[in-house]
């Protein structure tokens, strides 16, 4: 019988590689690459939906598992999967921490520094902790992945919407209701600084 291994000894199955972010147990390191799309995340009669954020919280359903949570939609770089992902953040402690850091003049927009969300426990005993790392320039790899992966966060508000755009920038889902502008590669090209032609000396995101 051959001694050839069916699975290489150093093989590890990937845990992601694009798409929506799923927080893993332990440290989840990421770089936020957009402004947040603020919304209400609703679970009603076993079905999820999202509506634009407003000061008036939508009514909660009467079912035992029905819920209404304030949530953010974010474009991030996930260091574990080495991919651009959409992160739907509904952990209120993390939202409050990010808000505080973003308003602090010494920290500012989280595109300037990595963050870690540490996850421990399981089920109702799950806990999340927020850690901000020292500011450092964004890498060329992340910038290229960001510009090569156009995302329309507003599609999160469309039933059946797909936030991941094709290479041509088209989306197969319908247009969402008017909401606040969200910074993404395709809608900020003319609003912010362009990506440097010499990224080794100056690295910028296009918002």
């Amino acid at each position: 019988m051959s001694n050839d291994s069916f699975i290489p000894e150093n093989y590890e199955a990937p845990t992601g590689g694009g798409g929506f972010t799923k927080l893993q147990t332990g440290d989840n390191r990421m770089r936020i690459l957009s402004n947040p799309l603020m919304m209400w995340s609703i679970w009603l009669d076993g079905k999820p939906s999202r509506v634009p954020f407003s000061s008036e919280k939508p009514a909660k359903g009467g079912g035992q598992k029905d819920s209404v949570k304030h949530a953010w939609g974010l474009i991030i770089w996930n260091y574990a999967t080495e991919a651009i992902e959409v992160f739907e953040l509904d952990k209120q402690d993390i939202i409050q921490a990010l808000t505080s850091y973003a308003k602090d003049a010494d920290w500012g927009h989280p595109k300037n520094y990595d963050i870690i969300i540490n996850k421990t426990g399981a089920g109702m005993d799950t806990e999340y902790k927020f850690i901000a790392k020292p500011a450092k320039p964004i890498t060329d790899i992340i910038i290229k992945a960001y510009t090569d992966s156009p995302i329309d966060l507003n599609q999160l508000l469309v039933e059946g919407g797909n936030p991941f755009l094709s290479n041509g920038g088209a989306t197969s889902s319908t247009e969402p209701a008017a909401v606040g502008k969200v910074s993404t590669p395709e809608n900020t090209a003319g609003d912010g600084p362009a990506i440097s032609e010499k990224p080794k000396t100056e690295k910028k995101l296009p918002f």
Side-chain angles (χ1 to χ4, degrees):
M1 180 180 293
S2 172
N3 290 325
D4 291 344
S5 175
F6 175 59
I7 300 175
E9 290 183 1
N10 61 351
Y11 170 80
E12 292 184 10
T15 57
F20 286 85
T21 303
K22 179 173 176 153
L23 296 178
Q24 305 295 322
T25 298
D27 288 348
N28 297 266
R29 188 170 187 139
M30 63 188 72
R31 180 69 70 102
I32 293 175
L33 303 174
S34 74
N35 295 337
L37 170 66
M38 299 177 181
M39 55 193 170
W40 293 108
S41 179
I42 303 170
W43 191 268
L44 180 64
D45 295 332
K47 296 181 180 179
S49 63
R50 308 175 187 93
V51 298
F53 176 72
S54 64
S55 58
E56 185 175 350
K57 185 176 182 179
K60 177 183 174 183
Q64 185 176 2
K65 296 184 178 181
D66 291 348
S67 65
V68 177
K69 294 182 178 180
H70 177 47
W72 287 2
L74 296 162
I75 302 172
I76 71 157
W77 170 261
N78 187 332
Y79 284 91
T81 60
E82 298 184 338
I84 299 294
E85 297 178 349
V86 172
F87 181 27
E88 187 169 349
L89 174 61
D90 62 1
K91 315 305 178 191
Q92 304 309 309
D93 289 348
I94 305 301
I95 288 177
Q96 290 175 13
L98 272 170
T99 299
S100 296
Y101 273 79
K103 289 182 177 180
D104 189 320
D106 291 333
W107 288 92
H109 198 298
K111 70 180 179 181
N112 297 315
Y113 49 91
D114 293 345
I115 67 167
I116 292 176
I117 300 177
N118 177 268
K119 177 183 176 182
T120 58
M124 298 297 292
D125 296 324
T126 304
E127 295 183 355
Y128 300 90
K129 294 181 180 179
F130 174 88
I131 303 169
K133 305 299 288 183
K136 67 177 183 180
I138 199 164
T139 67
D140 295 333
I141 292 175
I142 296 176
I143 290 178
K144 185 177 188 307
Y146 179 80
T147 54
D148 288 350
S149 307
I151 291 174
D152 180 5
L153 287 177
N154 289 327
Q155 291 296 319
L156 294 174
L157 302 175
V158 178
E159 184 176 359
N162 178 12
F164 303 96
L165 305 181
S166 66
N167 291 334
T171 179
S172 59
S173 51
T174 58
E175 291 295 323
V179 294
K181 181 178 179 180
V182 177
S183 294
T184 59
E186 70 281 356
N187 72 12
T188 57
D191 296 341
I195 294 177
S196 171
E197 294 181 356
K198 298 180 179 179
K200 291 185 179 180
T201 59
E202 184 180 7
K203 302 179 179 70
K204 294 183 179 181
L205 290 168
F207 67 89

